[in-house]
Amino acid sequence: ASEPMNLTPARTDLVPKGAVVTGGIVERVVDGDTIHVRVSGDDVTVRLIGIDTPETVKPDSPIECFGPESSDFAKEALTGQSVTLELDASQGNEDRYGRLLAYVWREASDGSLSLFNLDAVAAGYARERQYGSTPYAWKAELGQAGREAQAAGFGLWGACE
């Protein structure tokens, strides 16, 4: 019996900085850092910016420590949720696999937004990671959350070497 996941947002005082795509519904979670979002009738594969989670579905790769937990956290927090996708001009719109690069904002019933990328790092379900040489918009916040999670031994920091 695992403990119930803490889905409470790390912060609710943040708002998107960049261009947004609103009206998305999360159809499916592939793993902790890749999801499918239905936007205007289209199924869009989204790779979350600024985070890296342990592999669970990569072909010819073993399931990594805390990968299933990271996937379960994303599934629990995001499946069926209304989301706003924030784009980051500094990162480009797509990765080399053609996935949309975005921050995923969960929409609460009261209209407030919470940055899932940050929540995953703060709870120890993801590591902060910058791809390429250009820092991304939320790097300071995710970096800080990652250092705090690591110091506290949250999630993968306590479970994995």
Side-chain angles (χ1 to χ4, degrees):
S2 63
E3 295 175 33
M5 293 181 181
N6 179 7
L7 300 176
T8 305
R11 293 179 63 178
T12 54
D13 61 326
L14 304 173
V15 293
K17 302 175 183 186
V20 294
V21 177
T22 57
I25 301 283
V26 178
E27 298 251 299
R28 187 166 72 85
V29 170
V30 177
D31 61 17
D33 53 31
T34 307
I35 64 175
H36 284 265
V37 180
R38 183 151 302 279
V39 180
S40 304
D42 294 326
D43 178 358
V44 179
T45 306
V46 178
R47 173 63 170 83
L48 280 67
I49 298 172
I51 71 170
D52 185 38
T53 60
E55 295 294 347
T56 56
V57 293
K58 191 174 182 181
D60 304 320
S61 294
I63 292 178
E64 294 177 353
C65 178
F66 224 67
E69 291 86 347
S70 291
S71 288
D72 288 348
F73 176 71
K75 286 174 184 163
E76 189 76 23
L78 295 174
T79 305
Q81 289 290 309
S82 296
V83 294
T84 293
L85 302 176
E86 178 188 358
L87 308 179
D88 187 334
S90 77
Q91 303 301 299
N93 280 346
E94 290 188 350
D95 70 3
R96 58 187 176 162
Y97 303 110
R99 300 178 295 190
L100 182 71
L101 293 169
Y103 305 100
V104 176
W105 293 83
R106 292 187 283 169
E107 300 170 7
S109 53
D110 67 2
S112 67
L113 296 175
S114 61
L115 180 53
F116 176 77
N117 309 50
L118 179 66
D119 294 339
V121 171
Y125 290 103
R127 291 180 178 86
E128 181 276 328
R129 180 155 177 208
Q130 173 182 316
Y131 292 85
S133 57
T134 309
Y136 57 92
W138 292 100
K139 184 171 179 66
E141 291 84 354
L142 268 69
Q144 167 95 22
R147 288 187 292 278
E148 291 173 4
Q150 186 173 9
F154 290 160
L156 57 84
W157 300 110
C160 313
E161 293 186 331

